[in-house]
Amino acid sequence: MDKIESFEVDHTKMSQGMYISRVDDDIVTYDIRIAKPNTPPFLDDAGLHSFEHLFASFVRNSAYRKNIIYVGPMGCRTGFYLLVRGITHQKALDLVKDAMNYIAAFEGEVPGATEAECGNYLCHDVNAAKQYAKIMIEILKDWQLKDLSYKA
């Protein structure tokens, strides 16, 4: 089997941030890296789950709702993938920054977190999700287009 592109990135040199992971025709995959790879602590399941619900709900209710293909966590529990089409890298970066501010300030019930709506509805931690967003706010505060490339 061919090695997939994400396994070609040297995770020992990667830091937290937002990166263009790949471009497939008109679909761009962004790597939203909250935790440094192979450096505990990793995102815990409940916080990761709440973050996913909040992140996905925010971007799918934004002005770019029709451009969002997918939002989902990385199996390694270090971050998320955001797949979009038809928006610039700057708009994607601004959207992620806005989403982090939304999550950090979130109050209330996590969207889609009832037994009828979620396959693991008891596994949520909104406070952990808010902490993850605060980490990303600090990391992305001065992030620019030039920073979207993985650093070697």
Side-chain angles (χ1 to χ4, degrees):
M1 260 195 233
D2 293 335
K3 192 181 282 192
I4 63 173
E5 285 183 44
S6 61
F7 296 156
E8 297 289 336
V9 177
D10 187 345
H11 286 66
T12 66
K13 296 178 181 174
M14 182 184 295
S15 62
Q16 298 158 291
M18 178 175 170
Y19 305 100
I20 299 166
S21 177
R22 58 185 294 148
V23 178
D24 298 288
D25 298 319
D26 65 336
I27 298 174
V28 179
T29 300
Y30 293 98
D31 174 335
I32 314 299
R33 196 64 66 151
I34 301 169
K36 184 170 173 43
N38 301 305
T39 308
F42 302 106
L43 307 180
D44 71 73
D45 289 339
L48 177 91
H49 193 191
S50 293
F51 189 98
E52 174 194 15
H53 279 237
L54 293 167
F55 190 18
S57 293
F58 181 84
V59 299
R60 289 187 176 134
N61 281 281
S62 73
Y64 305 110
R65 65 178 7 122
K66 293 182 190 270
N67 305 91
I68 305 303
I69 306 296
Y70 175 75
V71 175
M74 297 175 181
C76 60
R77 298 185 3 239
T78 61
F80 284 80
Y81 290 113
L82 171 65
L83 281 72
V84 302
R85 71 163 34 118
I87 63 174
T88 66
H89 296 314
Q90 184 63 58
K91 287 179 182 176
L93 177 58
D94 292 342
L95 179 62
V96 169
K97 288 179 178 183
D98 290 346
M100 296 307 113
N101 286 316
Y102 167 78
I103 296 167
F106 184 80
E107 295 294 329
E109 299 296 317
V110 175
T114 67
E115 184 176 13
E117 300 167 313
C118 179
N120 193 4
Y121 79 103
L122 294 176
C123 181
H124 280 279
D125 183 344
V126 72
N127 290 323
K130 291 169 75 164
Q131 286 306 116
Y132 301 153
K134 289 174 185 175
I135 290 167
M136 286 308 294
I137 289 168
E138 186 62 28
I139 291 166
L140 296 178
K141 71 180 179 190
D142 296 319
W143 214 257
Q144 299 174 21
L145 291 177
K146 66 178 179 56
D147 300 314
L148 291 174
S149 295
Y150 289 121
K151 295 167 183 68

